[in-house]
Amino acid sequence: MHKLNFFTASVAALALLAGPALAEDLVFQLKNGTGSVLTRFYTSPVGVDQWEDDVFGEQVLNPNETIEITIGDGRDVCNYDMRFEFSEESDLDTTTDTQNLCELGTYTIHE
C-alpha cells in the first residue's frame, strides 16, 4: 500500500507539471476581393453573443489587398463568426460568415 501512495503522488505531480494545453494562434490570409474599402473586421467564437474588438484597429483593407490575420485569443475553438464592415462611401452592406479558422488558409470576401 505504501508503493501505491507513492505512485498516486507521482502521477498527481506529473499532471500538475504538464498543466493545461495552450491553444495555438489561428492564422489565415484575408483578401478583400471587393471594390470597396474594408474598414472593420470582427470575429467571435460561434455561440458568443457579442463581437470581439475590431481586428483591424486603425488599419483598413483596400480592394484587392491581402493581410495576414492572427487570432491569438487563447481559446481552444475553431469555428468563428466573422463580420465585415465597409467604408461609408461603399454601397456594400455589412456581411457576416462562419468559418472553421483552424482549417482556413485564405479567405476572400466578395461583393
Side-chain angles (χ1 to χ4, degrees), residues 25-46:
D25 291 348
L26 303 173
V27 180
F28 64 97
Q29 301 292 315
L30 175 62
K31 181 175 182 178
N32 183 357
T34 73
S36 298
V37 177
L38 184 57
T39 57
R40 290 184 181 86
F41 173 56
Y42 301 93
T43 63
S44 290
V46 170

Side-chain angles (χ1 to χ4, degrees), residues 45-98:
V46 170
V48 173
D49 292 337
Q50 295 182 344
W51 293 106
E52 306 280 321
D53 292 335
D54 177 16
V55 174
F56 287 166
E58 297 296 318
Q59 295 180 330
V60 297
L61 190 59
N62 291 308
N64 297 313
E65 285 186 344
T66 301
I67 188 172
E68 182 174 275
I69 301 291
T70 301
I71 300 176
D73 60 12
R75 293 182 173 111
D76 192 22
V77 297
C78 290
N79 294 321
Y80 278 76
D81 293 324
M82 300 183 294
R83 177 183 170 104
F84 304 92
E85 294 181 6
F86 298 92
S87 66
E88 291 180 15
E89 299 81 29
S90 171
D91 59 348
L92 297 178
D93 293 328
T94 296
T95 302
T96 58
D97 194 6
T98 300

